[in-house]
């Protein structure tokens, strides 16, 4: 863990974030909100790498990176925070070191294990927002349940082959649909995976960047047009669809 001794909006910070502060939706007030925010990123793979990189660059005050895996050579095609020198290192530590080198004004913490229900519940108390960058249904359902119980906004993305999706579940609103309304729990045994089917690396970069954009939007403005919506993308033809999500009255999590 590192501590920051620099005023988050001193002259250097104003220069660093100048192009962002010019946006009326952010301005100085939003930049101060980012500096005071704490974001939990679960999964430091193809989605977590670009998301964390953009949030660190944007000046989010504290990032907590959670991943129990180590860097493998097959990761380097799409997990852009890592290099060949990181092979064999815990992903969370390698990503932490890279982000600290990018921005010394923020704090970056690393968990080198997968979040469990108990630790996840405790962590949510200390964070404002969660990014689900994991790659399996079991983890996504666990994160969804924990965020809904804690009333914390959840930004979820996933991709396989040339297709991807993005959704914002703002659980500060009690009537919002949850991830289990979209994908009922118990789908793990039949789920496809990137290991079997492959995935386009740049598509993960697009979706991870969009997760970061939605996090910045929520932290600065308090809302998102994607709340209650599912955004689908087919990168083969760059076709986009947006679908309204409705709360399932039979949902095992939020019914």
């Amino acid at each position: 863990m590192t501590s920051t001794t620099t005023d988050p909006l001193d002259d250097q910070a104003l220069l660093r974030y100048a192009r962002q502060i010019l946006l009326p939706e952010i301005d100085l007030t939003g930049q101060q909100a980012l500096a005071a925010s704490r974001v939990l990123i679960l999964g430091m793979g193809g989605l977590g790498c670009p998301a964390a990189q953009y949030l660190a660059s944007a000046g989010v005050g504290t990032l907590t990176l959670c991943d129990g895996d180590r860097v493998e050579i097959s990761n380097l095609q799409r997990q852009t925070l890592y290099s060949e020198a990181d092979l064999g290192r815990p992903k969370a530590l390698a990503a932490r070191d890279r982000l600290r080198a990018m921005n010394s004004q923020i704090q970056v913490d690393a968990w080198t294990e997968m979040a469990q229900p108990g630790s996840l519940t405790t962590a949510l108390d200390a964070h404002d927002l969660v990014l689900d960058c994991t790659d399996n249904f079991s983890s996504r359902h666990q994160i969804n349940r924990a965020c809904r119980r804690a009333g914390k906004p959840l930004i979820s993305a996933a991709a396989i082959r040339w297709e991807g999706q993005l959704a914002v579940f703002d659980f500060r609103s009690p009537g919002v649909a949850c991830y289990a309304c979209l994908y009922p729990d118990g789908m793990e045994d039949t789920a496809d995976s990137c290991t079997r089917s492959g995935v386009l690396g740049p598509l993960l970069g697009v979706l991870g960047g969009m997760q970061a954009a939605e996090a910045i939007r929520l932290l600065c403005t308090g809302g998102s047009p994607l709340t209650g919506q599912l955004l689908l993308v087919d990168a083969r033809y760059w076709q986009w669809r947006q679908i309204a999500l409705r709360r399932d009255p039979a949902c095992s999590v939020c019914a």
Side-chain angles (χ1 to χ4, degrees), residues 24-236:
E25 297 85 357
I26 298 181
D27 205 350
L28 284 171
T29 301
Q31 193 62 52
Q32 290 169 332
L34 292 177
S37 296
R38 300 173 61 91
V39 173
L40 176 62
I41 303 178
L42 298 165
M44 287 307 300
L47 294 166
C49 283
Q53 193 166 358
Y54 276 113
L55 292 177
S57 298
V60 172
T62 300
L63 296 175
T64 301
L65 318 177
C66 179
D67 198 303
D69 291 339
R70 294 177 179 268
V71 180
E72 300 177 1
I73 194 165
S74 62
N75 301 148
L76 302 183
Q77 165 253 351
R78 63 200 179 279
Q79 299 179 17
T80 53
L81 279 176
Y82 312 124
S83 69
E84 293 178 0
D86 295 314
L87 292 175
R89 291 193 69 197
K91 288 183 180 179
L93 295 181
R96 179 201 63 187
D97 293 347
R98 182 78 179 274
L99 296 176
R100 285 179 175 176
M102 288 173 52
N103 191 347
S104 61
Q105 292 190 326
I106 67 169
Q107 178 169 309
V108 185
D109 301 325
W111 296 354
T112 57
E113 59 184 23
M114 298 297 184
Q116 300 300 319
S119 61
L120 185 54
T121 298
T122 301
L124 289 178
D125 291 337
H127 292 84
D128 303 301
L129 185 146
V130 178
L131 269 61
D132 181 356
C133 301
T134 59
D135 61 358
N136 63 86
F137 278 108
S138 179
S139 294
R140 292 170 190 152
H141 281 294
Q142 176 181 303
I143 294 163
N144 174 70
R145 287 190 294 268
C147 287
R148 188 181 183 281
R149 283 196 301 267
K152 295 297 175 77
L154 168 64
I155 302 172
S156 176
I160 193 167
R161 294 181 292 267
W162 293 75
E163 298 89 36
Q165 65 181 46
L166 175 72
V168 175
F169 303 100
D170 192 346
F171 293 121
R172 294 172 298 184
S173 301
V176 70
C178 77
Y179 185 81
C181 295
L182 177 63
Y183 295 110
D185 207 347
M187 297 182 62
E188 297 82 14
D189 293 339
T190 59
D192 206 347
S193 71
C194 297
T195 303
R196 293 193 295 267
S197 300
V199 66
L200 182 70
L203 175 60
L204 291 163
V206 169
L207 290 167
M210 293 177 73
Q211 284 183 282
E214 288 306 301
I216 292 169
R217 187 202 307 271
L218 282 169
L219 294 170
C220 290
T221 71
S224 167
L226 282 181
T227 297
Q229 303 287 317
L230 176 67
L231 185 63
L232 301 170
V233 57
D234 182 342
R236 287 170 296 185

